[in-house]
Amino acid sequence: LTRARLAESSRNGLVVPEGLIAHGRGEAFDYLLGERTTPSARRATRIAAQWLRAARHPVVSVNGNVAALAARELAGIQRALPRIGVEVNLFHRTPGRAARVARTLERAGVRHVLGVRPTAKIPGLPSDRAFVDRRGILVADVCLVPLEDGDRTEALRALGKRVISVDLNPLSRTSEQADLPIVDEVVRTLRNLAADLRVPGPDPVPGRFASFSAPAALRTARATIHRRLRKERPSRSPPASRRR
Amino acid sequence: LTRARLAESSRNGLVVPEGLIAHGRGEAFDYLLGERTTPSARRATRIAAQWLRAARHPVVSVNGNVAALAARELAGIQRALPRIGVEVNLFHRTPGRAARVARTLERAGVRHVLGVRPTAKIPGLPSDRAFVDRRGILVADVCLVPLEDGDRTEALRALGKRVISVDLNPLSRTSEQADLPIVDEVVRTLRNLAADLRVPGPDPVPGRFASFSAPAALRTARATIHRRLRKERPSRSPPASRRR
């Protein structure tokens, strides 16, 4: 179903060919991780909810793949944490695609989509990938970046922002650079995150963030893949007769 | 460059969106394997050359991704082993796509492309995926299937054919079902295969195939991924100052 949705979204230009290839890379890691949320990823998502609630300016960055797969989940996150900024942030940006991503989000119930007409640039990136919204990522203290590329994750960190990534590849530069890498599939993660944000409780003190060990989380993800690879594979079908 | 070529090929319909996603899955495994031909894959490719030369009716099955990436390599294989059948075999078949794949192959120098208008069906598959050429896969004793899906690999084996697969995922059903799974990237593999077929020597006895242990080859591939995952990752960049 996910593949069919992305293929369909590529036909109308919401998702670019490069986004389909990137999705395939994620699928491979999801398969190796067992196609389910690991306990470690679930814990990381809970910490991410705390960070977003403790943030002064939380922002989530949205590309074509995320809009195609998880627009409803983003609306759920915004309902649970209305002050989170939702910003369109495209690697392959055209005005038409930015508007299409925004429309997809709005149809799913997201309000005040940022970044459709970018108003600022972050330093250290090729210009077409540096555009941001000055009410959004530019002033954010905590950025949630699902399916982000390594260069931008690095640039955001260099600006002193806390970066929460969602990336199935525990070896990617994004996972390695993020302060809080969630190694899990994006729809599952954003759904869990919305649930965590809905849990009632006192608001955390702004700027007081729960501690998190990114290297330990990535080690755990790699160990999960190890275990899955070591397991005996289902046996091969019996060889067919060769006499014909 | 490979990504750009596939993205471009998807714009003109040679490659389907599902093919881009499948390519991404391969990329992830290629990364885990070190993005190079392992000694084990190289040995498997040499055995594959022996099998194709010992075959009475060797056929290579070609889909959109293979045509987009490795048409020249296929022409090289055909020059080295002129009696090999080159057959268009599409998971997502339309007459237009089949013709486009054939044209791509012919422009690269492949001759007598089979399967453009399928003339037979292999049993045990949904009808649109079962079409084959009765001068090609139907009568083949050895089938080389780069980037094939598990169902078809299984159906070919059930017909008593020897299947040589090229698939970067050592855990896929295709790799598991193949008699000779080559766990390597398709362009590298087909280039090596053409080189092996060019090595002069006496023709092998028809029907006398060198022995090969598929389970051992797959274990070796899994072990390579293990080792890569265990290696220490490059250290993270120093955290940026958070006081702003």
Side-chain angles (χ1 to χ4, degrees):
Chain A
L1 282 172
T2 301
R3 272 184 215 159
R5 182 183 286 200
L6 279 177
E8 180 54 36
S9 298
S10 81
R11 292 190 180 95
N12 69 32
L14 181 65
V15 168
V16 288
E18 293 79 0
L20 294 175
I21 297 175
H23 176 78
R25 286 195 296 277
E27 274 190 4
F29 283 100
D30 202 16
Y31 175 78
L32 289 173
L33 286 161
E35 291 180 314
R36 58 185 187 83
T37 299
T38 64
S40 165
R42 192 66 193 87
R43 280 193 298 276
T45 305
R46 276 196 204 95
I47 303 287
Q50 194 277 338
W51 282 23
L52 291 172
R53 294 177 67 220
R56 290 186 173 87
H57 294 290
V59 171
V60 54
S61 163
V62 181
N63 64 21
N65 282 29
V66 175
L69 294 177
R72 274 196 306 185
E73 285 71 15
L74 286 168
I77 285 171
Q78 199 184 44
R79 272 195 302 276
L81 186 72
R83 67 202 171 78
I84 195 168
V86 180
E87 176 162 344
V88 178
N89 198 354
L90 301 178
F91 193 98
H92 301 275
R93 178 184 275 275
T94 65
R97 266 196 86 213
R100 214 165 293 136
V101 170
R103 245 190 342 266
T104 304
L105 293 173
E106 285 159 359
R107 270 203 295 264
V110 176
R111 304 173 63 181
H112 312 299
V113 176
L114 302 170
V116 181
R117 274 173 222 82
T119 48
K121 275 177 156 196
I122 48 178
L125 285 178
S127 64
D128 55 325
R129 287 158 51 192
F131 291 120
V132 290
D133 195 304
R134 74 173 146 228
R135 300 158 300 171
I137 288 171
L138 192 72
V139 295
D141 54 346
V142 177
C143 291
L144 170 63
V145 293
L147 316 183
E148 188 53 277
D149 81 296
D151 287 345
R152 280 210 294 216
T153 302
E154 212 160 313
L156 293 173
R157 265 194 112 219
L159 289 171
K161 299 176 192 303
R162 278 178 188 262
V163 174
I164 304 168
S165 66
V166 183
D167 188 331
L168 280 156
N169 180 356
L171 309 168
S172 73
R173 265 196 312 139
T174 295
S175 290
E176 279 171 8
Q177 293 293 331
D179 297 278
L180 200 167
I182 301 174
V183 182
D184 197 5
E185 195 272 331
V186 65
V187 179
R188 293 196 302 260
T189 303
L190 297 184
R191 194 172 293 157
N192 286 334
L193 190 57
D196 292 344
L197 288 168
R198 278 194 300 268
V199 172
D203 270 352
V205 180
R208 285 276 280 280
F209 299 103
S211 70
F212 182 80
S213 168
L218 296 179
R219 263 198 309 276
T220 303
R222 293 206 304 273
T224 304
I225 296 178
H226 265 145
R227 268 197 310 278
R228 294 258 311 162
L229 282 166
R230 201 171 290 139
K231 262 198 216 146
E232 213 38 70
R233 305 298 311 158
S235 60
R236 293 150 46 82
S237 69
S241 159
R242 291 270 149 58
R243 311 281 158 265
R244 297 184 309 131
Chain B
L1 282 172
T2 300
R3 270 184 217 160
R5 181 181 288 200
L6 279 176
E8 180 56 35
S9 298
S10 81
R11 289 189 183 94
N12 69 31
L14 181 63
V15 168
V16 289
E18 294 77 3
L20 294 175
I21 296 175
H23 178 77
R25 285 195 296 278
E27 274 190 4
F29 283 100
D30 202 17
Y31 174 80
L32 289 172
L33 286 161
E35 291 180 316
R36 58 182 187 86
T37 298
T38 64
S40 164
R42 193 64 193 85
R43 279 193 299 274
T45 305
R46 277 197 204 95
I47 302 288
Q50 195 277 337
W51 283 23
L52 291 173
R53 294 177 68 221
R56 290 186 173 88
H57 294 288
V59 171
V60 54
S61 161
V62 181
N63 64 21
N65 282 29
V66 175
L69 295 178
R72 274 196 305 184
E73 285 71 15
L74 287 169
I77 285 172
Q78 199 183 42
R79 271 194 304 276
L81 186 71
R83 66 201 172 81
I84 194 168
V86 180
E87 176 162 342
V88 178
N89 197 353
L90 301 178
F91 193 98
H92 300 274
R93 177 183 276 274
T94 65
R97 267 196 86 215
R100 214 166 290 135
V101 170
R103 241 185 351 260
T104 305
L105 293 173
E106 285 159 359
R107 270 203 296 265
V110 176
R111 304 173 63 183
H112 311 299
V113 176
L114 301 171
V116 181
R117 275 174 221 83
T119 48
K121 275 178 154 196
I122 47 178
L125 284 178
S127 65
D128 55 326
R129 287 157 54 193
F131 291 120
V132 290
D133 195 303
R134 73 173 147 226
R135 298 159 301 172
I137 288 172
L138 193 72
V139 295
D141 54 345
V142 177
C143 290
L144 170 61
V145 294
L147 317 182
E148 186 53 275
D149 82 296
D151 288 345
R152 281 210 293 215
T153 303
E154 211 160 313
L156 292 174
R157 265 194 112 221
L159 289 172
K161 299 175 193 304
R162 281 180 186 262
V163 175
I164 304 168
S165 66
V166 183
D167 187 331
L168 280 156
N169 179 356
L171 308 169
S172 74
R173 263 193 316 135
T174 295
S175 290
E176 280 171 6
Q177 293 293 330
D179 297 278
L180 201 166
I182 302 174
V183 182
D184 196 5
E185 196 270 332
V186 65
V187 180
R188 294 195 302 261
T189 302
L190 297 185
R191 195 172 292 156
N192 287 334
L193 190 58
D196 292 344
L197 288 169
R198 278 194 300 268
V199 173
D203 270 352
V205 180
R208 284 276 280 280
F209 299 102
S211 71
F212 182 80
S213 169
L218 297 178
R219 264 198 307 277
T220 304
R222 294 206 303 274
T224 304
I225 296 178
H226 267 144
R227 268 198 310 279
R228 293 260 310 163
L229 282 166
R230 202 171 287 139
K231 262 197 216 147
E232 212 37 69
R233 304 298 310 159
S235 60
R236 295 150 46 82
S237 69
S241 160
R242 292 271 151 57
R243 310 283 156 263
R244 297 182 313 128

